[in-house]
Amino acid sequence: MYPTFFRSLVIFLLIATPLIFLGYGSDGDAYGVLRAGTSTWENAMPQTSRHPGYWLYEALVFGLSQLGGYILMNGATLFASAIVLYRFHSIAISEKISNPTLLTLCLALNPWFLIAATSTMDYIWALLFIVWSIELTTRGRYIAGGLASGMAAGFRLGSVFPLAFAFLSDMLNKGLKNTFKHYFKTGLVACVVISVFYFPSWLHEGQSFSFLQGHLGDESLWTLKMHAGRFFYKTIYLFGLPAFMVVLVTVILCVFYNAEKRVISQKIIMSFGACLGTLFLYARYPIEISYLLPFLFFFLLILGFYLGEKGRIPLAFLLTTTILYSIVSLPFAQPNVPNKASDARFGLSVERGVLLKDISARLKLIRCGSAECYQNN
């Protein structure tokens, strides 16, 4: 383990570990996963929590929660998060990206990452296998990369988009003639694994592909204006307004004044692809901000790559504003109906930060172990 990573890991664990003791989490989908897992694996009545079918994750949650409740399940997710952070730091080191500790902390202490890392949701598990798949293919292990891709999609089918865009970006960079047969193997293996995980969904939906339809809710809430508004607003609040302003200024400086002239490596090229793939999918389904965690992972690598040795000060500002986002949030729009907005009132306000809100919600649900309990609270 890199000594610099050990410092980042200790800070992350000191903040994150107490959170695994606060129940399954504040996201209603976690309780749907519990219900579906019990129905499928204990009562032998196949059920899934939502489209497209999360059979792999529901089985994992059922098994671990049966053995050790939410503490074991959340602890396992925290362990997976530590591996994600280690891979992030390792990529930064291998790509000779400066300030790897600051960059790692910018990821680790983002409140959306902290919440995903300490509650019963599948975002971290999918991200872990996305990262492994990209790393394996860059080492020429295309079949193993396909297995990891299939696992990532098994946890979250949307993982296909960052992976497909990452692989395509590498193919275009190296030339289709030189890479097609390699990525064909990756894609073939991934498709076989994905088919295994989603064949039950096909059967469950009466041998139809209706399970691929996403849940957007009432169409009246998804006009073009509201759709675009959700996409841009939630992308900004992946970082929080102050941190986003730091990112925006830093990117402008990189593009026009301060970008180091360096050869762009394979992993950075694939990181660009993964970012675009994540945003492409999110533009279609701008629902949960946590969907953007793959974008956060790869975007920070790209940012660190272009900042180079001069990045310490902007990254220190980014880390500071990221930490503050857990405590204080500055939304510039208020929905007319929370979670079902058809319009919004604009104007800067001050609210509790993302992590504080999540802790408050989790404390109310700490004794809940079922979807019914969640709905009643």
Side-chain angles (χ1 to χ4, degrees), residues 237-258:
Y237 280 87
L238 170 66
F239 301 95
L241 186 59
F244 179 79
M245 297 305 295
V246 173
V247 167
L248 189 61
V249 171
T250 302
V251 169
I252 291 172
L253 290 175
C254 282
V255 171
F256 292 103
Y257 302 108
N258 200 34

Side-chain angles (χ1 to χ4, degrees), residues 27-38 47-50 58 370-371:
D27 193 316
D29 287 338
Y31 301 91
V33 166
L34 287 166
R35 177 173 57 192
T38 299
Q47 179 183 346
T48 187
S49 54
R50 61 211 189 277
E58 287 157 5
S370 67

Side-chain angles (χ1 to χ4, degrees), residues 31-98:
Y31 301 91
V33 166
L34 287 166
R35 177 173 57 192
T38 299
S39 178
T40 301
W41 303 106
E42 184 173 304
N43 301 329
M45 298 176 62
Q47 179 183 346
T48 187
S49 54
R50 61 211 189 277
H51 285 174
Y54 290 79
W55 307 96
L56 174 61
Y57 187 65
E58 287 157 5
L60 176 68
V61 171
F62 174 76
L64 291 179
S65 62
Q66 287 290 305
L67 290 173
Y70 62 78
I71 295 176
L72 181 59
M73 184 60 234
N74 294 345
T77 305
L78 182 62
F79 179 73
S81 304
I83 299 175
V84 168
L85 293 174
Y86 182 64
R87 298 317 315 152
F88 180 90
H89 192 275
S90 298
I91 294 171
I93 294 292
S94 68
E95 297 302 302
K96 297 180 173 56
I97 296 174
S98 302

Side-chain angles (χ1 to χ4, degrees), residues 233 237 330-334 344-350:
Y233 186 85
Y237 280 87
L330 302 174
F332 62 79
Q334 294 291 338
R345 176 176 54 83
F346 292 94
L348 198 63
S349 59
V350 180

Side-chain angles (χ1 to χ4, degrees), residues 136 232 246 271 315:
L136 286 165
F232 288 108
V246 173
S271 293
L315 287 178

Side-chain angles (χ1 to χ4, degrees), residues 129 133 137 144-154 159-160 163 167 186 190 193-194:
F129 283 96
S133 180
T137 53
L147 288 170
S149 295
M151 291 295 293
S159 302
V160 168
L163 286 168
F167 297 154
T186 299
V193 176
I194 292 169

